[in-house]
Amino acid sequence: MAKPQEVTDTNFDEEVIQSETPVLVDFWAPWCGPCRMVAPIVEELADEYEGRVKFTKVNTDDNVNTAVRFGIRSIPTLLIFQSGELAGQIIGFRPKSELKNNLEKVLTQAAT
Amino acid sequence: MAQSNNYDIIVIGGGPSGLAAGLYAARGRRRTLLLEKGVVGGQISLTDRVENYPGFPEAVNGFDLAQAMLQQAENNGMETAYVEVTGMEQSENNLWRVKTAQGDYTAKAVIITSGADYNRLGVPGEERLTGRGVSYCATCDAAFFKDEEVAVVGGGDAAMDEGLFTSRYASKLNMIHRRDELRASRILQERALANPKMQFLWNTVVDEVVGDNQVTSLQLKNVITGEKSNIGVSAIFIFIGQHPNSDFLGGLLPLDEGGHIHVDDWMRTGLPGLFAAGDVRKNSARQVVSSAGDGATAAISADHYISNNFPD
């Protein structure tokens, strides 16, 4: 199973902002119950979208600067970046179908 | 192998009540399916410390407790599907048909443990700023407001509990309550009232949540004097009770004025093979332990019903 890549304050720009493929970033922390429910769904999506979307995650405890930079005030928060720009966001635990819809929307926009 | 969608017992909702019902149903060797639309554990999955569930003298994290309950039920043979129920009906041969976005399931008996969802204030700014300072889960979000001034709304156990949790991070908590006394349990009241960071604003309601991209302040009103005021906060945590999740039933069952399902002592609704347990039923004590007890009762009841109505 494709595991989302851990991204940190140090390499966020390189791995997310400068990425040519769209990137989903899962902001999470070990103490957050709903984050632990989102994680397996994100892993499933990472499999389904392999090669089309890059999947990453940011531990907000260890990477406070990145959390502050994007105004994260609630986790889980999923952000989707396309060519360095914020293209989608999902706050809180949402069903898989809704996450897919958001990804599809970004991919459709990227194709046009 | 294609899995058949026909079950003995379907449990709708994976909170403590549904997980206990699933455990008992599976141990009764009934083919059992639990349907959950979101997070297993229901309301407790957002609770940092469950201190009143017997057997855990040092308290237990709500999410961990729910996961343990799920594991126990699945170890005994319960199956789980993550899908939302959109409706249900009783067909010929007394079988129940449960409709979901991913197809229909049938069961000889159905146990409704759909629980309750938190109430919103319903004031301007609340929905727009959810996740941007408006929160219904202090366990998830409090850490993002370290050394900042925040507000907590409500006067019950959840408000005190989550307020106490938030006080580990925030510099000051404005505890906003529409009445002049709390309805939280005594032990939590004592802790909250003694907490130096928690300042109580009595007889006060929130009129508006203010902020562009983040919460910056709250518009408040004193319900006795009518006096309006404004306090600067970067977060508002809302714990003002809950409402039962019974909308998906349509007009299937008569509900009380609050939307709860009427059941008898054996968790039977008025319809054959249909049971309800936990927060969705009328007169629930709304505790983890009582909901789990309800679930067990409903499963035993459903087991008897199947033995009596579907002879092998």
Side-chain angles (χ1 to χ4, degrees):
Chain A
M1 183 173 260
K3 287 264 178 204
Q5 179 191 345
E6 288 273 0
V7 170
T8 64
D9 284 348
T10 319
N11 65 1
F12 189 89
D13 278 7
E14 186 187 333
E15 295 294 341
V16 178
I17 300 298
Q18 290 159 25
S19 169
E20 282 175 15
T21 42
V23 189
L24 182 143
V25 189
D26 175 7
F27 287 88
W28 71 289
W31 39 261
C32 158
C35 297
R36 286 153 67 184
M37 281 302 291
V38 166
I41 297 177
V42 170
E43 284 177 16
E44 282 175 33
L45 291 170
D47 270 346
E48 293 173 29
Y49 286 86
E50 196 164 4
R52 291 198 288 155
V53 178
K54 179 172 172 180
F55 284 77
T56 62
K57 56 184 189 176
V58 172
N59 180 327
T60 55
D61 279 357
D62 300 338
N63 301 284
V64 178
N65 291 344
T66 305
V68 170
R69 177 175 168 192
F70 295 101
I72 304 297
R73 292 293 210 172
S74 179
I75 53 173
T77 286
L78 305 178
L79 298 183
I80 306 170
F81 291 86
Q82 165 69 43
S83 309
E85 300 281 330
L86 186 62
Q89 67 167 5
I90 302 128
I91 297 175
F93 179 91
R94 313 300 308 167
K96 186 178 170 185
S97 55
E98 196 174 323
L99 305 191
K100 278 185 88 139
N101 287 346
N102 274 275
L103 281 172
E104 291 295 341
K105 207 156 56 176
V106 173
L107 287 171
T108 313
Q109 281 166 358
T112 53
Chain B
M1 191 184 80
Q3 273 287 345
S4 151
N5 280 354
N6 305 321
Y7 288 84
D8 294 320
I9 296 177
I10 287 179
V11 181
I12 302 175
S17 187
L19 292 166
L23 171 67
Y24 273 74
R27 287 177 63 81
R29 290 287 178 257
R30 300 296 185 188
R31 186 159 186 247
T32 304
L33 175 69
L34 178 85
L35 299 174
E36 166 58 50
K37 68 174 174 176
V39 184
V40 165
Q43 295 167 70
I44 62 161
S45 66
L46 301 183
T47 308
D48 174 41
R49 289 163 61 82
V50 177
E51 294 185 350
N52 54 10
Y53 192 72
F56 294 90
E58 305 303 325
V60 57
N61 175 270
F63 186 84
D64 292 337
L65 178 61
Q67 289 298 310
M69 288 180 177
L70 175 67
Q71 192 65 58
Q72 190 178 3
E74 289 186 339
N75 286 350
N76 280 277
M78 185 189 80
E79 295 173 41
T80 313
Y82 292 90
V83 62
E84 184 164 5
V85 173
T86 52
M88 51 191 294
E89 63 190 24
Q90 196 162 27
S91 52
E92 66 291 357
N93 349 323
N94 283 336
L95 285 179
W96 282 95
R97 179 171 295 277
V98 177
K99 299 172 187 171
T100 79
Q102 290 166 27
D104 293 359
Y105 299 91
T106 68
K108 293 166 185 164
V110 173
I111 302 172
I112 302 168
T113 53
S114 46
D117 208 352
Y118 48 75
N119 288 333
R120 272 92 167 159
L121 288 170
V123 300
E126 180 184 18
E127 195 181 339
R128 185 171 52 84
L129 293 164
T130 294
R132 309 217 155 262
V134 174
S135 174
Y136 307 89
C137 177
T139 324
C140 306
D141 304 337
F144 296 106
F145 301 93
K146 198 168 178 354
D147 301 324
E148 295 183 42
E149 186 169 338
V150 304
V152 175
V153 187
D157 277 356
M160 296 310 113
D161 231 350
E162 304 294 296
L164 288 161
F165 177 83
T166 305
S167 73
R168 295 188 212 167
Y169 301 97
S171 58
K172 180 185 170 188
L173 289 85
N174 297 282
M175 304 293 292
I176 299 167
H177 187 40
R178 64 190 158 137
R179 283 195 266 270
D180 62 358
E181 59 180 4
L182 302 171
R183 63 187 151 78
S185 62
R186 290 280 173 201
I187 187 166
L188 289 175
Q189 284 196 31
E190 287 164 12
R191 279 188 223 161
L193 293 166
N195 189 306
K197 285 184 177 178
M198 293 165 87
Q199 299 207 357
F200 284 82
L201 304 174
W202 304 106
N203 301 311
T204 302
V205 294
V206 177
D207 269 351
E208 186 181 349
V209 182
V210 183
D212 290 332
N213 283 316
Q214 302 272 344
V215 173
T216 52
S217 70
L218 301 177
Q219 214 38 68
L220 305 179
K221 186 171 79 185
N222 185 301
V223 292
I224 307 285
T225 64
E227 192 187 337
K228 296 192 181 217
S229 59
N230 185 286
I231 54 166
V233 294
S234 48
I236 170 174
F237 295 94
I238 300 166
F239 305 100
I240 50 163
Q242 60 288 100
H243 56 272
N245 292 319
S246 53
D247 287 353
F248 72 95
L249 292 170
L252 186 67
L253 284 167
L255 305 171
D256 77 356
E257 65 282 357
H260 303 90
I261 301 170
H262 297 272
V263 292
D264 66 11
D265 289 349
W266 281 97
M267 305 298 146
R268 289 180 287 217
T269 68
L271 295 175
L274 188 60
F275 305 81
D279 282 7
V280 76
R281 79 167 173 96
K282 190 173 167 63
N283 293 335
S284 162
R286 298 205 310 254
Q287 301 299 305
V288 183
V289 62
S290 61
S291 288
D294 265 15
T297 303
I300 291 167
S301 198
D303 186 78
H304 289 169
Y305 167 80
I306 292 174
S307 294
N308 292 334
N309 290 278
F310 296 88
D312 292 328

